[in-house]
Amino acid sequence: MYIGKKPLMAYVTSTLIQLANQPTVTIKARGLSIGRAVDVSQITIKRMESAGYKIGDVRIGSETVKSEDGRTRNVSTIEIEIKKA
């Protein structure tokens, strides 16, 4: 699931719905949305503590993005895996 500019709880609800149907969900974000992705994962884990979900792998990296003015820049990325214990 890619994190963007929607309200935080919209992503939490979507994550919980996907976890009901799948054993693992990966939350992905770039740039300024990384903090929101971390918040989504933490709220999901805390809210569903009795269901036994936990954080799996966390991968960080960067991507090269070409801006509108033609210059290239690096943008940080994160992937957070949430899975059933």
Side-chain angles (χ1 to χ4, degrees):
M1 169 185 328
Y2 287 99
I3 303 298
K5 297 188 183 292
K6 290 182 186 174
L8 185 66
M9 292 310 291
Y11 294 111
V12 172
T13 304
S14 181
T15 301
L16 291 173
I17 290 170
Q18 288 188 16
L19 282 169
N21 299 322
Q22 300 172 5
T24 303
V25 173
T26 302
I27 299 171
K28 300 179 180 184
R30 295 188 331 181
L32 297 175
S33 297
I34 289 175
R36 185 174 297 222
V38 172
D39 291 344
V40 168
S41 66
Q42 291 301 302
I43 290 171
T44 302
I45 296 299
K46 301 293 183 205
R47 180 169 288 198
M48 299 302 289
E49 229 173 327
S50 62
Y53 293 117
K54 65 177 187 173
I55 301 290
D57 293 336
V58 177
R59 293 176 293 279
I60 58 173
S62 62
E63 295 178 357
T64 303
V65 178
K66 194 167 201 169
S67 61
E68 293 178 7
D69 61 0
R71 298 187 325 188
T72 59
R73 60 187 181 104
N74 292 328
V75 178
S76 299
T77 62
I78 191 168
E79 294 182 16
I80 304 169
E81 185 179 82
I82 300 177
K83 58 185 179 179
K84 292 181 182 174

